[in-house]
Amino acid sequence: MPTTQRLRVGIAVDLPAADLELMRELEPRLDFIYEPELYRPQRWHGDWEGEPSFSRTPEQAERYHQILASSQALFGIPDVNPGLLQKTVRENPDLLWVHTTAAGGGSQVKAAGLNADELDRVTFTTSAGVHGSTLAEFALFGVLAGAKNLRKLEADQAQKNWPSERWRMRHLDEMTILVVGLGGIGKAVAERFKACGSTVWGTSRSGKPVSGVDRLIEPSQLAAAAAEADAIVATLPGTGSTEGLLGSEVFEAVSEGTIFVNVGRGTVVDESALIPALEAGRIGFAALDVVAQEPLAPNSVLWDHPNVLISPHTAALSNQETTRIARLFAHNATCFLDGQVLRNKVDTVEFY
């Protein structure tokens, strides 16, 4: 990895000024090119794509291009646009590093269609792990919603119905939770369920012990493990090897009433297998922060299914997101300048 005494960093997306100052404090060897009026304004905290109706004047467009063309590193993919990333890499031979604000930024890099030489010249990193705690909380919420039968409680309250007979609820400390994927998000999920007294299983290709995980499951044994689990939490990234991984083999194996939560990528789930499992009651409740095609089509049966909770890919967002990404960028900048290994380097074969 190239080393240099200072690093010229272009800010390619809208970023709160306070986070820029934080990065300056954490790594004083960074020279930022930052012109707030050139970026698509964030509509909400962590909205990196920005306001779609925003357009630059010809002068602003030229200035934005100059930033991209003169930077050695970029904070964010330009306009979160893979096509513009490709153009930037090819027009700026001095560009050495691009940090994506998305945890799954590898898919954006893949979409840029860069050649082998370009992928070798430019280092790409993602914001994986930054969203782990918020997504882990949603996973906990989703399992609890199923365990406590949130839908029944809502329906009874809406009808002002006090049932004549009380009914049992499931308890986390009596449940086995299968975490599919033990990356940054999966580890955070495992920690929270373990703290609640659950038995935690997790899939692992490496076989290395993970804190909070009672049993490691080989990927080839996924369906067998799913058959014994009370709840399944998917945290996997979207790659060629994970697409449709949770399909008919898994959803036909699960026991009646299994709870399913997805906080990874929607493409990991074969929805044509999930929906029959919901209809048959094998999946008793599903909390989905992601779906295969986003936004979810208005005619999807998932919208109206009484045992499905849809979250519009928003569970990762929090007021701390931009600051956490800024801290991660500053850490990696120090590593880059000192010739050390960067966190979250994109695998340019699997692109995650």
Side-chain angles (χ1 to χ4, degrees), residues 19 54 105 122 131 141 178 257 294 309-310 318:
D19 294 320
F54 172 79
V122 182
H131 312 92
F141 163 72
L178 172 60
E294 298 180 4
L309 177 66
I310 296 292
S318 76

Side-chain angles (χ1 to χ4, degrees), residues 232 251 254-260 274 277-286 305 307:
I232 302 169
F251 291 123
V254 297
S255 301
E256 183 176 356
T258 298
I259 298 167
F260 178 67
L274 171 62
L278 281 161
E279 297 294 343
R282 294 191 301 275
I283 296 297
F285 183 82
H305 197 287
N307 293 326

Side-chain angles (χ1 to χ4, degrees), residues 141 144-159 167 284-287 302-311:
F141 163 72
L144 280 170
K148 307 307 180 185
N149 207 335
L150 175 64
R151 292 305 199 206
K152 175 174 173 56
L153 295 173
E154 290 176 322
D156 284 345
Q157 182 172 345
Q159 298 170 14
W167 41 276
F285 183 82
L302 293 173
W303 281 117
D304 298 318
H305 197 287
N307 293 326
V308 174
L309 177 66
I310 296 292
S311 166

Side-chain angles (χ1 to χ4, degrees), residues 89-116:
V89 170
R90 292 181 176 171
E91 293 183 355
N92 180 357
D94 294 328
L95 186 63
L96 301 173
W97 170 36
V98 176
H99 181 78
T100 76
T101 53
S107 62
Q108 297 169 334
V109 176
K110 181 180 181 180
L114 300 170
N115 62 42

Side-chain angles (χ1 to χ4, degrees), residues 5 20 51 94 119 126 184 197 202-203 209 220 233 262 291-292 307 313 322 343:
Q5 292 183 338
L20 182 75
E51 173 55 56
D94 294 328
L119 292 171
T126 76
T203 61
S220 62
V233 178
N262 192 1
V291 291
N307 293 326
H313 205 152
T322 63
R343 285 175 54 189

Side-chain angles (χ1 to χ4, degrees), residues 204-218:
S204 170
R205 288 188 294 183
S206 70
K208 296 180 181 178
V210 175
S211 176
V213 178
D214 300 292
R215 176 185 170 192
L216 293 175
I217 305 296
E218 294 182 6

Side-chain angles (χ1 to χ4, degrees), residues 16-95:
D19 294 320
L20 182 75
E21 292 306 313
L22 174 63
M23 290 190 291
R24 282 195 174 115
E25 292 174 9
L26 294 173
E27 181 43 81
R29 294 174 291 176
L30 299 179
D31 298 317
F32 289 102
I33 313 175
Y34 173 69
E35 299 188 25
E37 68 277 5
L38 301 181
Y39 312 124
R40 294 176 177 174
Q42 292 194 9
R43 294 161 291 177
W44 55 81
H45 202 75
D47 173 31
W48 303 107
E49 288 84 357
E51 173 55 56
S53 64
F54 172 79
S55 63
R56 300 181 181 92
T57 66
E59 294 77 13
Q60 288 176 324
E62 176 58 29
R63 181 58 193 148
Y64 186 62
H65 176 266
Q66 290 174 359
I67 291 176
L68 302 181
S70 61
S71 298
Q72 295 171 297
L74 291 177
F75 180 97
I77 290 178
D79 288 344
V80 196
N81 182 331
L84 189 52
L85 174 62
Q86 181 194 80
K87 184 174 186 292
T88 300
V89 170
R90 292 181 176 171
E91 293 183 355
N92 180 357
D94 294 328
L95 186 63

